[in-house]
């Protein structure tokens, strides 16, 4: 009997704790201590569309890419989505800057993402602009933002 009473009390407490709030905003009063958006970025040859990081003959060494923040440059995270040939970036702000260092060429790419809230403390990137280009890049069917990139020193492969 005591076990049945304890179980009933536990179910009653859990169901009352999970009841719908009267506020129209389900996230009202919730504080998110750490929120970031995970985006997949794929660099492809501007002319051929071939993968520059992972393909059969990658032209950009993974270690040559840095995330710039203020006066610091950080290595790309070690986690990638190699199945989709993309680099997974976890960003806390809609603007990030990447530096790609190749022999005879250093490229700085400002990536501006449009982020929407998907639920309490989570969000998703819906589009991205590269540099000052007003054309937005949309994620492909795998969720990667495919960015054309020129590897030649002149930028004109």
């Amino acid at each position: 009997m005591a076990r049945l009473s304890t179980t009933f009390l536990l179910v009653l407490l859990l169901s009352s704790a999970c009841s719908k709030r009267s506020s129209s905003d389900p996230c009202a009063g919730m504080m998110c201590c750490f929120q970031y958006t995970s985006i997949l970025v794929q660099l492809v040859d501007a002319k051929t569309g071939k993968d520059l990081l992972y393909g059969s003959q990658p032209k950009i060494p993974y270690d040559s890419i840095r995330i710039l923040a203020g006066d610091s440059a950080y290595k790309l995270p070690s986690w990638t989505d190699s199945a989709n040939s993309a680099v997974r970036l976890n960003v806390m702000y809609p603007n990030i800057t990447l530096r790609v260092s190749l022999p005879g060429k250093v490229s700085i790419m400002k990536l501006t993402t449009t982020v929407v809230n998907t639920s309490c403390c989570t969000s998703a990137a819906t589009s991205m602009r590269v540099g000052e280009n007003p054309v937005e890049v949309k994620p492909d069917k795998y969720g990667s933002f495919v960015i054309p990139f020129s590897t030649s020193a002149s930028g004109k492969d």
Side-chain angles (χ1 to χ4, degrees), residues 113-128:
T113 55
T114 301
V115 177
V116 296
N117 288 332
T118 54
S119 65
C120 300
C121 298
T122 60
S123 57
T126 58
S127 65
M128 177 184 291

Side-chain angles (χ1 to χ4, degrees), residues 136-157:
E136 290 186 331
V137 176
K138 299 288 185 182
D140 66 7
K141 66 182 180 180
Y142 303 107
S144 297
F145 290 95
V146 179
I147 300 173
F149 186 81
S150 174
T151 56
S152 72
S154 67
K156 299 179 183 177
D157 277 341

Side-chain angles (χ1 to χ4, degrees), residues 41-134:
V41 175
Q42 182 181 14
L43 297 178
V44 298
D45 187 284
K47 286 188 175 187
T48 66
K50 289 186 178 182
D51 189 339
L52 294 172
L53 283 173
Y54 294 102
S56 59
Q57 297 176 334
K59 292 185 177 181
I60 300 176
Y62 190 80
D63 286 343
S64 70
I65 303 174
R66 298 287 185 267
I67 299 171
L68 303 180
D71 293 333
S72 301
Y74 301 96
K75 286 184 175 184
L76 286 178
S78 58
W79 59 91
T80 62
D81 191 334
S82 55
N84 294 327
S85 300
V87 175
R88 182 176 300 278
L89 301 174
N90 293 322
V91 295
M92 292 183 64
Y93 306 103
N95 300 321
I96 59 173
T97 304
L98 297 181
R99 180 183 71 207
V100 180
S101 300
L102 298 172
K105 178 182 181 180
V106 174
S107 296
I108 305 292
M109 289 189 302
K110 180 181 174 188
L111 306 177
T112 304
T113 55
T114 301
V115 177
V116 296
N117 288 332
T118 54
S119 65
C120 300
C121 298
T122 60
S123 57
T126 58
S127 65
M128 177 184 291
R129 283 193 334 265
V130 180
E132 300 302 319
N133 189 342

Side-chain angles (χ1 to χ4, degrees), residues 5-71:
S5 297
T6 305
T7 304
F8 177 73
L9 183 60
L10 183 61
V11 169
L12 182 64
L13 287 172
L14 287 175
S15 64
S16 66
C18 297
S19 64
K20 191 172 183 179
R21 296 179 182 177
S22 60
S23 171
S24 62
D25 181 7
C27 302
M30 182 179 282
M31 286 185 59
C32 300
C33 297
F34 180 71
Q35 180 177 355
Y36 66 86
T37 300
S38 184
I39 58 173
L40 295 174
V41 175
Q42 182 181 14
L43 297 178
V44 298
D45 187 284
K47 286 188 175 187
T48 66
K50 289 186 178 182
D51 189 339
L52 294 172
L53 283 173
Y54 294 102
S56 59
Q57 297 176 334
K59 292 185 177 181
I60 300 176
Y62 190 80
D63 286 343
S64 70
I65 303 174
R66 298 287 185 267
I67 299 171
L68 303 180
D71 293 333

